[in-house]
């Protein structure tokens, strides 16, 4: 009994004692062999796991269908209570169940409210007002146009006719409201061109009457959009309506502000008739209208292009070579935003047409002389490529060397560097950089930065020179917005010089307190 009682604690202790690891050599293969067994058992466990439910939360036909009708109705009603614009869209969709008259009545009420409105729409109300207009326009385009296209077109034209009053009492510096009217122009044009020829002609001629009150040019834009797309049968009635609406030139050549407005209105009408003549291929009428609008400075390029297309090449050459005073240069919105304004663009366009005319006449040498002259003046790569393409075989290499020589001698070294960088000719570009060492303006980053990057691999000395110029200019002028670029240039410079620390030491001595720059520099 005592022996059995003494044995019980020993058994209990053995039960809780942790297993002792077997470190004998014989046990190691057994453990190694157990790994494949566990790996083989894992696919079975993975296969036995149930598939997880989809976590897709993006609204789609499948996910919305899964919500169920009652849940969707609740969400829609909730949103209509919070969002007036969405409520109008839902109301229009419900009204469509009753037919086009119900939708038209909703739209007419909104148009009447717009026409009677007199309150000023300041910048705080502008976004909501533009959203409201856009919702109405969406209703016209998606709901009413699907049921009654002609009724939708009538509402669009009425909407465009009220643009003067609406924009006259709105602060629209962002262009949101203007953009809604532009969208209405596109929608109206699409509906008109789908009409039969007679109906399209009737709508187009009816728009001519509205031009007198078209202060923002939406109706004019609509007519210009329609002219290339209208059926042929609709063009003569439109031209007749424009001719009847155009006042004689004698009535607009008097002084005063009213005379200027009258002349501007006449020019708009004549331009539309010119577009019609262009569509019909009537070159003589096109020229006559051009001279009527701008008797002192007719657009020689447009006239010559049409004469060339009509096979009247000698006349085209005569027009493109007519002397003319330089008039105002038109600057587009894109040029203002990007800053890429080129005052020489009109002359380049004129010369390009003259070259095409000379080629058409078989005057190859004269055309080549013009190409070379144009290249020498502006270092235009496209003009040089055209010149080289016209040369006989095996003469292009010598001509290209002459072109590079001319580029290096060009008075505008920045234009020359840009040409050599983008052609590319890294050897000549590096030679130009080092020839004018110490005289480059580091603020011309739009030229120097691409050149430095292009020269890094093959011309490290010239690339380092440009990078130092760029860095010095940024730091000396304290252009904090460009410190990130300067830090990147400094990092690139480290791999181009044998002793990068020497230049870094100079920078720390001169600009060591510019912490915003040094915080972006990698050691």
């Amino acid at each position: 009994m005592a022996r059995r009682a003494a044995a019980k604690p020993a058994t209990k202790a053995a039960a809780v004692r942790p297993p002792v690891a077997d470190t004998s050599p014989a046990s190691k293969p057994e453990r190694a062999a157990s790994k494949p067994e566990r790996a083989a058992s894992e696919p079975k466990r993975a296969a036995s796991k149930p598939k997880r439910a989809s976590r897709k939360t993006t609204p789609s036909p499948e996910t919305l269908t899964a919500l169920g009708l009652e849940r969707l109705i609740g969400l829609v009603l909730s949103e209509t209570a919070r969002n007036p614009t969405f409520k109008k869209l839902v109301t229009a969709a419900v009204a469509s169940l009753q037919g086009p008259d119900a939708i038209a009545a909703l739209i007419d009420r909104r148009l009447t409210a717009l026409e009677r409105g007199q309150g000023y729409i300041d910048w705080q109300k502008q976004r909501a007002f533009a959203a409201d207009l856009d919702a109405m326009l969406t209703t016209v385009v998606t709901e009413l146009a699907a049921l009654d296209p002609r009724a939708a077109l009538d509402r669009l034209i009425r909407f465009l006719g009220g643009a003067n009053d609406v924009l006259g009492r709105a602060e629209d510096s962002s262009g949101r409201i203007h953009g809604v009217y532009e969208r209405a122009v596109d929608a109206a044009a699409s509906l008109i061109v789908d009409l039969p020829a007679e109906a399209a002609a009737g709508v187009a001629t009816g728009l001519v009457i509205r031009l007198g009150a078209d202060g923002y040019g939406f109706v004019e834009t609509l007519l210009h959009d329609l002219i290339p797309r209208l059926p042929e049968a609709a063009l003569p009635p439109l031209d007749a309506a424009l001719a009847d609406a155009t006042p004689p030139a004698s009535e607009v050549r008097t002084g005063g502000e009213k005379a200027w407005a009258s002349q501007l209105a006449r020019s708009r009408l004549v331009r539309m008739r010119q577009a019609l003549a262009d569509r019909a291929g009537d070159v003589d009428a096109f020229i006559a209208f051009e001279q009527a609008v701008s008797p002192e400075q007719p657009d020689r390029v447009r006239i010559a292009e049409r004469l060339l297309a009509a096979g009247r090449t000698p006349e085209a050459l005569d027009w493109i070579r007519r002397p003319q005073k330089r008039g105002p240069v038109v600057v587009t919105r894109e040029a203002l935003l990007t800053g890429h304004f080129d005052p020489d663009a009109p002359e380049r366009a004129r010369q390009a047409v003259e070259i095409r005319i000379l080629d058409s006449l078989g005057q190859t040498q004269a055309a080549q002389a013009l190409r070379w002259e144009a290249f020498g003046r502006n270092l235009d790569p496209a003009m040089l490529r055209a010149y080289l393409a016209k040369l006989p075989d095996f003469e292009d290499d010598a001509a290209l060397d002459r072109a590079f020589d001319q580029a290096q001698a060009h008075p505008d070294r920045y234009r020359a560097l840009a040409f050599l960088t983008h052609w590319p000719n890294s050897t000549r570009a590096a030679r130009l950089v080092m020839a004018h060492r110490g005289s480059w303006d580091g603020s011309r980053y739009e030229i120097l930065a691409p050149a430095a990057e292009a020269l890094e691999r093959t011309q490290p000395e010239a690339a380092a020179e440009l990078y130092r110029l760029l860095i010095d200019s940024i730091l000396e002028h304290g252009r904090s917005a460009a410190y990130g670029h300067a830090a990147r240039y400094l990092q690139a410079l480290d791999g181009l010089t044998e002793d990068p620390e020497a230049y870094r030491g100079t920078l720390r001595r001169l600009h060591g307190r510019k912490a915003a720059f040094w915080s972006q520099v990698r050691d």
Side-chain angles (χ1 to χ4, degrees):
M1 290 291 293
R3 284 196 299 269
R4 284 199 298 270
K8 285 181 180 178
T11 306
K12 188 175 182 182
V16 298
R17 184 181 302 151
V20 179
D22 188 359
T23 57
S24 64
S27 65
K28 290 181 180 178
E30 293 179 2
R31 289 198 300 271
S34 66
K35 290 182 180 179
E37 294 175 3
R38 289 197 301 270
S41 65
E42 285 178 0
K44 294 180 182 179
R45 290 198 300 270
S48 63
K49 285 184 179 180
K51 292 183 178 179
R52 288 185 178 181
S54 175
R55 293 184 178 181
K56 291 183 179 179
T57 57
T58 303
S60 66
E62 293 77 13
T63 55
L64 292 178
T65 301
L67 281 177
L69 182 61
E70 292 184 2
R71 184 76 180 278
L72 284 175
I73 291 173
L75 290 173
V76 169
L77 291 177
S78 253
E79 184 62 19
T80 55
R82 292 190 300 266
N83 188 338
T85 301
F86 181 71
K87 181 178 180 180
K88 291 178 181 179
L89 293 173
V90 174
T91 303
V94 173
S96 68
L97 300 176
Q98 304 174 29
D101 292 341
I103 305 176
L106 288 175
I107 297 167
D108 288 340
R109 284 199 294 271
R110 183 64 185 119
L111 289 174
T112 301
L114 282 175
E115 292 162 353
R116 292 178 179 176
Q118 296 181 354
Y120 183 70
I121 304 157
D122 59 19
W123 66 271
Q124 294 173 312
K125 302 175 183 176
Q126 175 211 88
R127 185 186 294 271
F129 182 77
D132 181 71
L133 291 183
D134 192 67
M136 184 196 67
L137 180 59
T138 299
T139 300
V140 176
V141 174
T142 60
E143 302 291 348
L144 185 56
L147 299 174
D148 190 345
R150 188 57 190 265
L153 179 58
D154 291 340
R155 271 71 184 177
L156 287 173
I157 293 174
R158 181 182 172 187
F159 177 59
L160 292 173
N164 276 9
D165 294 335
V166 172
L167 289 170
R169 60 186 180 92
E171 196 286 318
D172 191 36
S173 57
S174 67
R176 287 192 184 93
I177 302 174
H178 199 280
V180 176
Y181 281 97
E182 288 178 343
R183 184 182 162 209
V185 168
D186 295 337
S190 299
L191 290 174
I192 293 172
V193 296
D194 288 339
L195 295 174
E198 185 176 353
V203 175
T205 54
L207 291 173
V208 175
I209 304 172
R210 294 180 175 270
L211 286 170
D214 185 35
Y216 288 87
F218 295 115
V219 177
E220 180 185 2
T221 302
L222 175 57
L223 281 169
H224 275 292
D225 289 348
L226 287 174
I227 287 172
R229 302 164 62 186
L230 283 172
E232 290 287 342
L235 300 181
L238 177 57
D239 185 59
L242 290 170
D244 292 339
T246 305
S250 58
E251 296 182 8
V252 297
R253 291 191 178 277
T254 57
E257 185 177 346
K258 291 183 178 179
W260 181 85
S262 177
Q263 186 173 1
L264 179 62
R266 183 178 185 275
S267 297
R268 293 166 66 186
L269 292 166
V270 173
R271 285 295 184 195
M272 280 184 242
R273 295 195 68 196
Q274 185 185 39
L276 285 168
D278 200 20
R279 159 97 187 256
D282 189 344
V283 180
D284 292 323
F286 181 91
I287 296 173
F289 288 132
E290 182 66 30
Q291 291 176 313
V293 173
S294 183
E296 296 181 358
Q297 292 179 332
D299 193 330
R300 298 171 295 174
V301 173
R302 296 182 72 206
I303 292 174
E305 284 178 333
R306 282 148 183 84
L307 288 169
L308 178 61
R312 297 161 62 175
T313 315
E315 294 177 72
L317 185 62
D318 173 68
W319 263 102
I320 205 66
R321 285 181 170 177
R322 288 189 182 186
Q324 190 176 90
K325 293 181 180 179
R326 180 163 183 158
V329 178
V330 177
V331 182
T332 63
R333 183 171 181 270
E334 181 182 1
L336 289 174
L337 292 174
T338 60
H340 296 299
F341 171 62
D342 186 2
D344 297 325
E347 175 56 24
R348 284 210 309 276
R350 188 208 68 80
Q351 202 163 37
V353 174
E354 183 178 358
I355 290 170
R356 285 169 51 200
I357 295 170
L358 291 173
D359 281 334
S360 180
L361 289 171
Q363 300 181 22
T364 306
Q365 290 185 351
Q368 283 290 78
L370 270 182
R371 289 188 180 97
W372 184 257
E373 177 189 344
F375 167 73
R377 184 171 57 252
N378 298 311
L379 299 182
D380 186 353
M383 198 63 73
L384 178 59
R385 290 189 182 94
Y387 176 83
L388 296 173
K390 295 287 183 179
L391 289 176
D393 293 339
F394 307 111
E395 292 187 14
D396 51 346
D397 289 339
L400 190 56
D401 286 338
R402 285 190 288 113
F404 291 148
D405 291 339
Q406 191 157 348
Q408 282 198 283
H410 197 275
D412 186 349
R413 61 177 179 273
Y414 296 97
R415 186 185 292 268
L417 181 59
F419 164 74
L420 293 171
T421 299
H422 293 95
W423 182 264
N425 189 323
S426 58
T427 303
R428 295 274 192 156
R431 192 181 304 170
L432 180 67
V433 170
M434 303 311 291
H436 296 278
R437 189 172 188 172
S439 61
W440 295 97
D441 181 2
S443 64
R444 297 293 301 272
Y445 61 88
E446 76 281 3
I447 304 293
L448 302 188
E453 292 174 3
L455 295 175
E456 275 189 38
R457 294 180 60 187
T458 58
Q459 304 292 334
E461 184 181 2
E465 175 69 16
L466 294 178
Y467 277 134
R468 282 191 289 264
L469 286 166
L470 290 164
I471 296 168
D472 291 344
S473 175
I474 292 171
L475 296 181
E476 286 172 5
H477 294 89
R479 298 190 180 97
S480 57
Y483 282 172
H485 295 289
R488 181 168 56 84
Y489 300 153
L490 184 60
Q491 184 180 1
L493 188 61
D494 288 346
L496 300 175
T497 58
E498 296 181 358
D499 186 11
E501 288 302 323
Y503 180 67
R504 286 200 176 210
T506 303
L507 287 183
R508 290 193 181 277
R509 179 169 51 84
L510 297 175
H511 307 287
R513 304 181 71 176
K514 290 185 170 67
F517 164 69
W518 291 106
S519 64
Q520 302 183 59
V521 174
R522 296 181 181 179
D523 293 329

